[in-house]
Amino acid sequence: MNSSNKTSPSHPRLSSDINHWDIDTDVAIIGFGGAGACAAIEAADAGAKVDLFELASASGGSTALSSAEIYMGGNGGTAVQQACGYSDDTENMLSYLRACFGNQADEAKLRSYCENSLNHYQWLTGLGVPFKMSELKERAIMALTDDCLLYTGNEKAYPFPEAAQPIPRGHNLEIEGDNGGPLLMKILTEAVADRGVNVHYESRALTLIIDDNQEVVGVVVRVDQEEINVRARRGVILCAGGFCMNEEMVRKYAPTFDCGLTPIGNPGDTGSGILMGQGVGAATVNMHECFVSLPYYPPSSLTYGILINDKGQRFINEDCYHGRVGYNTLLEQRNSKRIYLVTDVAGYGDYEKMSYLGAQVAGTGDTIEELEGELELPAGSLDYTLSSYNRHAAEGQDPSYHKSAEWLRPIEAPYVALDCTLGRGPFYPFFTLGGLDSLPTGEVLNTGGEVIAGLYAAGRTTAGIPRTASGYASGMSVGDATYFGRLAGQTAAKRDC
Ligand SMILES: Cc1cc2nc3c(=O)[nH]c(=O)nc-3n(C[C@H](O)[C@H](O)[C@H](O)COP(=O)(O)OP(=O)(O)OC[C@H]3O[C@@H](n4cnc5c(N)ncnc54)[C@H](O)[C@@H]3O)c2cc1C
């Protein structure tokens, strides 16, 4: 079919207007990243005929660009956690995640995720995803060794130890360098191929097809400049990623993050899955939230430093996860003209050899006064902050922000300050955390909270486990996309048709 009218995601096509189906399948999946791959594997394993449509010329999406750290635990612990001497508890994992996201958390998704996390680990390893029985003990954003287990969130940082016992749950694939994402997607892509899924590359889903009862019965896909009608008898699963590459949507839905941050993701992160869902009445949730980061470590030695605003005041415990620091800096210090990371020579360490931050040195000083002058801070402000910080740090205390003793030591002359102000050099990456409202099963809900028959979604097209950068831990997104992708595939494959 060659339509002269522009097909738009917000205008679903009516099946009554269709006189020819180009493809007839059980389950149509949109997007071949982590969520789409796992949905396809499960739907095929459940006996469904599956057609998978991907706009790029290869599988991968943002999942392949990622480090593919995967957040898993509970249930006594994964084999890796156990081998590394940790016994994880499901309720402890749940308590931690609740503390991370507060009222924004989706309790049903959290529970499903935590209770089945060990099963998910075993499912992944069953497909051949390799995890080494080892722990990376250093504070890192990602493991550059092939070690597996690491703390990837705020588990050990105040106030989280008050809510849950700290346990590392980030699982890094057994591969050297930052290559987890490509390896994960290679394994998932092979598993999809092994199951005889019909994969259509360079095929962009444009809009959903609904029948007279408003049920989703298919999807319109553009292939080779032609629009084809795909009938999906059991349902359509939207796994098309988030919307960080769609400036208009970010401005509209997440304006706080429309401030010069760097979107990270694949070019297909344009929100098309969310728009298609909205086109058939789906509700969205958490659209105003994004992951954002100030990646000031490595080197981990910078954690001994202090972050200050333009009044020379600290505002956070610097041992938090980089996403929590980025969020806090962006939101709570929004009116501060400058953000500095103040450290000493030992803390500066290997910054010039190994860093993702990109911040310039804003000032140095043999005395606090000298540094204060170079940074144009109010007279005496940094002196007050640093004197107090150092006095307490010498005793292993941080009464103001409760940085853990592990990262406390007096900052000593000569001093150096890095300019972490947004727009003055440092890297502030972001991607979106809002999307379609869905059940753990992948069923998409309308604005009345009812299931839209025939429509499923997973991954960053939905609002899943991670709800804010403040509570985020690396691994929650790939973990969520792969786990809930599986459930969506299982549910769609079982639907009566
Ligand atoms: C650099 C980087 C590092 C990261 N590291 C981690 C990490 O270590 N751990 C973690 O948990 N998270 C990490 N993340 C986040 C995580 O990778 C993503 O949130 C997650 O992988 C999203 O998975 P997904 O399946 O929802 O989407 P994707 O993997 O992006 O897949 C979506 C697919 O849909 C396709 N698509 C979009 N629109 C259409 C359409 N209309 N028709 C057809 N196809 C379409 C896209 O081309 C894409 O292939 C990282 C992200 C980045 C960018």
Side-chain angles (χ1 to χ4, degrees):
M1 178 181 159
N2 197 351
S3 167
S4 53
N5 293 332
K6 196 165 185 302
T7 305
S8 138
S10 44
H11 293 101
R13 189 167 285 177
L14 302 176
S15 58
S16 51
D17 289 342
I18 294 172
N19 48 30
H20 170 71
W21 293 101
D22 299 283
I23 291 177
D24 201 326
T25 191
D26 290 332
V27 178
I29 299 173
I30 309 306
F32 197 172
C38 293
I41 293 166
E42 289 284 16
D45 282 350
K49 181 180 177 204
V50 182
D51 281 72
L52 176 46
F53 300 91
E54 165 57 49
L55 67 81
S57 49
S59 65
S62 299
T63 310
L65 299 175
S66 82
S67 309
E69 287 166 335
I70 306 178
Y71 202 81
M72 296 180 288
N75 309 278
T78 64
V80 183
Q81 286 178 310
Q82 289 187 15
C84 296
Y86 297 97
S87 163
D88 202 354
D89 174 72
T90 304
E91 289 305 316
N92 188 52
M93 183 176 179
L94 201 43
S95 300
Y96 177 68
L97 290 173
R98 283 190 191 121
C100 288
F101 303 117
N103 292 342
Q104 280 162 274
D106 181 325
E107 176 66 20
K109 283 187 181 170
L110 288 192
R111 185 160 280 287
S112 174
Y113 188 77
C114 293
E115 288 180 349
N116 296 294
S117 190
L118 178 60
N119 169 283
H120 191 48
Y121 169 88
Q122 289 163 344
W123 185 81
L124 289 168
T125 54
L127 290 180
V129 178
F131 297 112
K132 191 173 164 183
M133 300 293 147
S134 63
E135 181 180 5
L136 183 76
K137 299 229 177 199
E138 73 196 51
R139 175 164 155 89
I141 288 186
M142 64 196 73
L144 296 177
T145 64
D146 62 359
D147 292 308
C148 178
L149 195 62
L150 69 166
Y151 282 96
T152 53
N154 292 296
E155 295 87 351
K156 292 194 287 182
Y158 178 85
F160 295 95
E162 294 184 353
Q165 190 203 340
I167 298 281
R169 300 193 179 95
H171 287 66
N172 175 59
L173 272 63
E174 186 175 357
I175 185 166
E176 298 274 345
D178 186 17
N179 294 308
L183 178 58
L184 177 65
M185 280 312 303
K186 178 174 178 287
I187 293 166
L188 294 178
T189 302
E190 285 166 4
V192 166
D194 289 348
R195 284 157 176 80
V197 169
N198 302 308
V199 179
H200 309 260
Y201 290 116
E202 298 176 16
S203 302
R204 182 186 293 269
L206 299 178
T207 196
L208 294 166
I209 301 171
I210 52 172
D211 68 9
D212 295 343
N213 301 320
Q214 305 296 307
E215 289 193 13
V216 173
V217 294
V219 59
V220 181
V221 180
R222 191 171 64 220
V223 192
D224 288 338
Q225 323 268 349
E226 294 285 325
E227 289 184 10
I228 63 167
N229 294 311
V230 178
R231 169 145 58 180
R233 292 170 183 275
R234 295 180 192 273
V236 176
I237 310 179
L238 299 172
C239 300
F243 61 94
C244 69
M245 297 299 173
N246 185 329
E247 283 179 33
E248 200 179 311
M249 279 183 80
V250 171
R251 200 167 303 130
K252 180 172 174 184
Y253 293 110
T256 306
F257 298 88
D258 177 29
C259 57
L261 309 173
T262 305
I264 55 164
N266 76 92
D269 273 334
T270 55
S272 62
I274 297 169
L275 295 172
M276 282 187 267
Q278 286 179 311
V280 296
T284 53
V285 280
N286 212 48
M287 293 288 279
H288 61 298
E289 290 287 3
C290 292
F291 167 85
V292 62
S293 155
L294 179 63
Y296 61 98
Y297 57 89
S300 59
S301 57
L302 283 177
T303 312
Y304 291 110
I306 57 170
L307 281 156
I308 57 164
N309 59 22
D310 60 359
K311 296 184 182 61
Q313 297 163 336
R314 285 176 74 210
F315 52 88
I316 195 165
N317 43 326
E318 296 83 1
D319 57 345
C320 287
Y321 172 70
H322 55 97
R324 185 170 176 84
V325 172
Y327 187 85
N328 200 295
T329 305
L330 195 67
L331 272 75
E332 292 182 20
Q333 300 303 318
R334 191 156 209 121
N335 296 324
S336 177
K337 292 192 177 65
R338 293 284 183 272
I339 299 292
Y340 298 117
L341 177 60
V342 176
T343 186
D344 52 21
V345 172
Y348 191 76
D350 285 337
Y351 175 66
E352 287 170 24
K353 285 193 205 136
M354 181 59 212
S355 172
Y356 308 112
L357 182 61
Q360 302 297 312
V361 171
T364 55
D366 288 328
T367 64
I368 298 177
E369 293 72 29
E370 192 184 339
L371 182 64
E372 208 172 74
E374 285 204 15
L375 302 183
E376 298 180 5
L377 295 169
S381 61
L382 182 58
D383 187 20
Y384 179 84
T385 299
L386 206 49
S387 305
S388 160
Y389 177 83
N390 279 349
R391 192 170 65 252
H392 292 297
E395 295 162 1
Q397 309 279 333
D398 177 18
S400 302
Y401 291 97
H402 310 285
K403 186 158 135 179
S404 62
E406 186 187 351
W407 294 108
L408 286 169
R409 72 181 183 207
I411 298 171
E412 292 174 346
Y415 306 104
V416 57
L418 293 170
D419 192 342
C420 295
T421 314
L422 175 64
R424 289 176 61 86
F427 181 44
Y428 276 86
F430 89 106
F431 60 82
T432 58
L433 295 177
L436 299 178
D437 194 5
S438 60
L439 298 175
T441 53
E443 293 162 294
V444 175
L445 303 175
N446 66 18
T447 49
E450 295 150 341
V451 166
I452 299 175
L455 187 62
Y456 307 86
R460 287 294 57 79
T461 299
T462 63
I465 296 295
R467 294 290 167 120
T468 65
S470 179
Y472 195 92
S474 296
M476 287 182 180
S477 201
V478 171
D480 161 281
T482 52
Y483 173 69
F484 289 109
R486 291 178 56 204
L487 295 203
Q490 291 167 5
T491 315
K494 282 192 301 224
R495 179 166 171 253
D496 289 335
C497 60

